[in-house]
Amino acid sequence: MDCVTSDNPPGAADPAALRPALPSPLTELTDERFAERGLRLLLKRDDLIHPDLPGNKWRKLEPNLRAAAASGARTLLTFGGAYSNHLRATAAAGRLLGFGTIGVVRGDELADRPLNPSLARCAADGMRLRFVDRATYRRKAEPEVLASLAPPDAFVIPEGGSNAAAALGCTELGRELRGVADVVGVACGTGGTLAGLAAGLSAGQRAIGFPVLKGGFLETEILRLQNEAFGGRRGAWTLDDRFHGGGYAKTSPELEAFAADFASRHGIELERVYVAKMLYGLTTLAQEGAFAPGTRVVTVITGAP
Ligand SMILES: *Cc1c(COP(=O)(O)O)cnc(C)c1O
């Protein structure tokens, strides 16, 4: 066996070893609510990129994983709520590529309860979970708080995985849609995906983001990310704030009926927290006459149920 000294630790694997299915497939659906307006509806199947790092999670994590490996870090540390897809994807990436992972979870009350299925999956992938109270969690970006949470050699990825590297990674999604879309709809949590997607589109194309959280802080956050990643506002993008349905992971009989109807029309089960709200919003816009006849509407399927 090779002698590996502690000041020359073996690096973690390059994320290319995970063989993502890129570019993701683009498929057309016949949906009469779009067809009767002269619109085409296409699905950008980012949910098929990788079974453990689906959708925008791959696009956002990949540049961060490469940076972490290049820096020689052996441990990734990141943040999320109790049902965070980002925590799950980071835990899986750690297992597959040979990083240790630490997940800082919002809510110290969770420490005394059995893990929910999402956190149990993180733990099974080897993630060390650290539950912090909400006040501390809110201050997690402050240097003293961060220093108390993160070992000095950890590579820190922000909540939701959204930073400049992630936005740069998502420009590839926009580039894959050049020439095939007029309008692109995407669900927004932290807005990192929209920030990059819009920057990757070409002139004449535009993106519409559908926030799934209530609050209206997202515009500022997306501008901040675009400033950091690209040096200013990029691409044509807007937000439609009408479809969060009361807040994160909140559902309604109306949304459930929409998703059930979509499954029976097309045989596709929609992820509820993000994708169903976005498609419900986009379908409503189509029926409101928001798009001119002939418009190619592409909907980004950012994740699977
Ligand atoms: C994380 C996630 C999003 C949100 O992406 P942001 O870049 O945080 O806006 C959207 N859809 C799905 C399925 C997700 O898991």
Side-chain angles (χ1 to χ4, degrees), residues 54 56-57 60 85-86 160 162 170 186-194 218 271 274-275 301-304:
N56 59 359
K57 298 301 177 281
K60 292 163 66 168
N85 289 338
H86 165 67
S162 283
C170 290
V186 69
C188 297
T190 60
T193 305
L194 176 62
L218 207 54
E271 185 273 344
Y274 293 96
V275 177
I301 308 299
T302 41

Side-chain angles (χ1 to χ4, degrees), residues 124-142:
D125 277 339
M127 181 174 259
R128 275 185 288 148
L129 299 172
R130 184 129 185 226
F131 298 94
V132 303
D133 65 81
R134 278 145 214 275
T136 307
Y137 190 87
R138 262 195 301 278
R139 296 172 50 222
K140 61 191 173 300
E142 294 173 21

Side-chain angles (χ1 to χ4, degrees), residues 19 46 57-58 71 103 110 142 151 154-155 176 186 211 232 265 267 272 275 290 292 295-296 300:
R19 299 172 165 275
D46 266 17
K57 298 301 177 281
W58 168 269
S71 77
L110 297 170
E142 294 173 21
F155 187 92
E176 288 175 21
V186 69
R265 283 172 194 255
R272 293 296 201 273
V275 177
T295 300
R296 293 163 298 175
V300 185

